[in-house]
Amino acid sequence: MKGIVLAGGLGTRLHPLTKATNKHLLPIYDVPMVYYPIRTLVNAGVRDILVVTGGPHAGDFIRVLRNGEDFGLKGLNYAYQEGEGGIAVALSMAESFVGGDSCVVVLGDNIIADDISSAVRDFRPMGGAKIFVKEVEDPERFGVVEYEPVGNEVRDIVEKPEVPPSNDAVIGLYMYDNTVFDKIRTLEPSNRDELEVTDLNRAYLEEGKLSVKRIHGTWMDCGTFDSLANATTKFYEDRNE
């Protein structure tokens, strides 16, 4: 299983902080934000990791992460994404890295406290795709899973619904088999002129090869000033309680 951390984008919602460096290198308490998704992968037993980044501050990652020594790794891999285009476009940069393997993909601004090692172990023989969800109080802000009336099978994934079909928000953690790159090539740009990860997940759903795993621990999407402050406060309190 290969690990991919998507850490590109311009982070415009965090200006002026991101005029100086990439969003994913901003501090969450005592370490850069990107440390958390890398730790999620390493703690799950994933040792072969690619960091996909871009923009004017891409070189900062090498200075901060180096070869992954802080995570007990012997090396880290890097890919540079020209421009933007959505999560699926960023993921496509990893095709040669993944090769014939499966991959677990985590967004660089997502903090996930759950141990996903069992999901990583169980995924390889199953193939297909697995998305992770977290029950939230404000699902209208996220992509939300719609379930079949009977059982726990996925019917659809609805982006920012006015009337959410469930409270299960899709978080920035995904597992894919190696057909993912062929599927990305079939996607059409959305109204935002991006290749959407929801459409990628729907491609697996149409094949009957999409499964869902709910996480129960901490999940934070640190893309705003409020979420940055909340994450720092939480980890400060956890360390000093």
Side-chain angles (χ1 to χ4, degrees), residues 3 10 23 56 58 66 68 79 88 100 105 116 128 134 137-138 176 204 232:
L10 299 177
K23 170 180 72 173
R66 299 169 294 152
V105 182
I116 64 167
K134 170 74 174 180
E137 295 180 353
D138 51 352
Y176 299 111
Y204 280 98
T232 292

Side-chain angles (χ1 to χ4, degrees), residues 49-53 61-62 65-68 76-80:
I49 297 173
L50 173 74
V51 178
V52 180
T53 186
F61 281 89
I62 296 176
L65 298 176
R66 299 169 294 152
N67 289 313
L76 272 174
N77 302 277
Y78 297 91
Y80 184 82

Side-chain angles (χ1 to χ4, degrees), residues 8 21 27 34 60 70 74 98 101 122 135 146 177 179 205 221:
T21 191
V34 73
D60 294 353
D70 289 348
K74 294 181 179 179
V98 173
D101 291 334
D122 295 343
E135 188 173 1
E146 179 182 1
D177 64 19
T179 69
L205 179 60
D221 180 342

Side-chain angles (χ1 to χ4, degrees), residues 14-189:
L14 291 172
H15 278 177
L17 301 182
T18 47
K19 290 182 177 181
T21 191
N22 184 286
K23 170 180 72 173
H24 307 89
L25 298 177
L26 295 175
I28 302 292
Y29 186 40
D30 59 347
V31 295
M33 184 190 303
V34 73
Y35 271 46
Y36 293 94
I38 294 176
R39 285 172 176 170
T40 294
L41 297 178
V42 172
N43 291 342
V46 179
R47 294 290 185 272
D48 205 354
I49 297 173
L50 173 74
V51 178
V52 180
T53 186
H57 308 297
D60 294 353
F61 281 89
I62 296 176
R63 287 189 289 271
V64 173
L65 298 176
R66 299 169 294 152
N67 289 313
E69 294 91 341
D70 289 348
F71 311 97
L73 300 174
K74 294 181 179 179
L76 272 174
N77 302 277
Y78 297 91
Y80 184 82
Q81 179 187 2
E82 294 279 358
E84 297 184 281
I87 293 171
V89 170
L91 175 55
S92 69
M93 302 295 300
E95 183 170 7
S96 61
F97 170 74
V98 173
D101 291 334
S102 299
C103 60
V104 51
V105 182
V106 59
L107 303 189
D109 58 2
N110 273 225
I111 296 176
I112 301 159
D114 273 30
D115 181 356
I116 64 167
S117 55
S118 62
V120 169
R121 287 194 304 270
D122 295 343
F123 182 78
R124 185 181 297 274
M126 294 172 56
K130 184 183 292 291
I131 59 175
F132 290 75
V133 299
K134 170 74 174 180
E135 188 173 1
V136 297
E137 295 180 353
D138 51 352
E140 64 278 358
R141 295 179 50 230
F142 305 97
V144 178
V145 173
E146 179 182 1
Y147 296 100
E148 295 289 353
V150 178
N152 202 37
E153 297 297 317
V154 179
R155 171 183 283 183
D156 198 3
I157 304 168
V158 186
E159 280 296 323
K160 298 181 179 178
E162 292 184 8
V163 182
S166 77
N167 283 55
D168 282 355
V170 181
I171 69 170
L173 178 65
Y174 320 90
M175 293 184 184
Y176 299 111
D177 64 19
N178 59 18
T179 69
V180 64
F181 303 104
D182 290 333
K183 289 180 171 63
I184 290 173
R185 281 187 278 272
T186 70
L187 299 180
E188 296 291 336

